[in-house]
Amino acid sequence: MSDSRSAGRWLVFVVKVPAEPSRYRVAVWRELRKVGALSLGQGVWAVPDVPVFADGVTRAGELTGQAGGLFVTLVATGRDGADAERLREMFTAARSADWTEFLADCGKFERELAKETRIGKFTLAELEEEEQSLERLRRWHRDLTARDVFGAPEAAQAGQRLRECAVACENYAERVFTALHEMPDPEETR
């Protein structure tokens, strides 16, 4: 962690949102998931006490307030080192699951490029779609990197896979531009 004063410190949130309408509960849940909060039980969430989580936690608190709910933030360290280590392990396991999902999406992206190459679909529209998919992967990687404060083991592999996806997309782009330049000029065929 970047701030040694917060090493081992956690923010624990007790969240109570009225059951109806359910959209409020879902909005708060989504915001906490988006920020990477660790669910500890019914309405109890935790994140390491580091600045990267501040905005998302604030948004979750605001959403809870708009719903007429209760959002209580506690600072915790664990009763002993074993408690702190368990929280850290649980948080890292959640990030590992996020990275595993990211790696699977990298595979899907590369399979999509391979399919388009195999069928010879070298259009600018398809290239734009693939570039948007790559940008989504880049944003996701940035978000995961920011909240993976303890360094899940899959993070290095994810960085490598993202670079491989970028190379594959660049190779596909070159094939698209080559195909476009090989097309006969309609004026020349008259």
Side-chain angles (χ1 to χ4, degrees):
M1 280 189 246
S2 58
D3 184 349
S4 61
R5 290 174 296 140
S6 63
R9 283 180 32 161
W10 292 78
L11 298 178
V12 176
F13 316 104
V14 178
V15 183
K16 289 188 177 189
V17 181
E20 295 298 327
S22 64
R23 71 178 180 271
Y24 293 119
R25 291 174 53 184
V26 171
V28 172
W29 177 82
R30 281 185 179 150
E31 189 60 40
L32 288 167
R33 292 287 303 148
K34 180 180 168 188
V35 76
L38 178 64
S39 175
L40 299 176
Q42 186 71 21
V44 181
W45 299 78
V47 294
D49 186 8
V50 294
V52 72
F53 300 104
D55 289 342
V57 168
T58 299
R59 281 190 304 274
E62 290 168 353
L63 289 168
T64 302
Q66 290 170 5
L70 176 69
F71 193 91
V72 176
T73 304
L74 307 168
V75 176
T77 57
R79 190 168 198 173
D80 57 28
D83 286 340
E85 185 57 30
R86 274 192 292 277
L87 274 174
R88 183 180 171 139
E89 288 171 359
M90 290 168 58
F91 188 83
T92 300
R95 298 299 68 84
S96 288
D98 292 342
W99 284 123
T100 298
E101 185 178 349
F102 176 85
L103 289 165
D105 271 26
C106 287
K108 288 178 192 174
F109 177 77
E110 288 178 326
R111 286 189 299 279
E112 174 68 16
L113 286 175
K115 180 190 91 170
E116 301 305 350
T117 299
R118 188 174 55 255
I119 65 173
K121 189 173 182 183
F122 300 120
T123 66
L124 288 175
E126 185 60 34
L127 175 60
E128 184 175 326
E129 185 179 317
E130 300 306 340
E131 287 174 335
Q132 288 172 358
S133 294
L134 178 61
E135 187 54 36
R136 182 188 64 80
L137 285 171
R138 286 180 172 141
R139 282 191 311 272
W140 190 9
H141 186 270
R142 280 191 301 270
D143 291 346
L144 289 176
T145 299
R147 65 181 183 233
D148 185 13
V149 296
F150 301 120
E154 296 82 0
Q157 181 186 5
Q160 178 59 37
R161 293 291 285 126
L162 180 60
R163 288 186 290 279
E164 291 167 2
C165 287
V167 168
C169 192
E170 186 60 36
N171 291 340
Y172 180 73
E174 287 183 27
R175 296 198 67 173
V176 168
F177 290 118
T178 298
L180 290 174
H181 292 300
E182 289 177 354
M183 294 179 71
D185 186 343
E187 296 297 316
E188 292 177 7
T189 59
R190 290 184 187 178

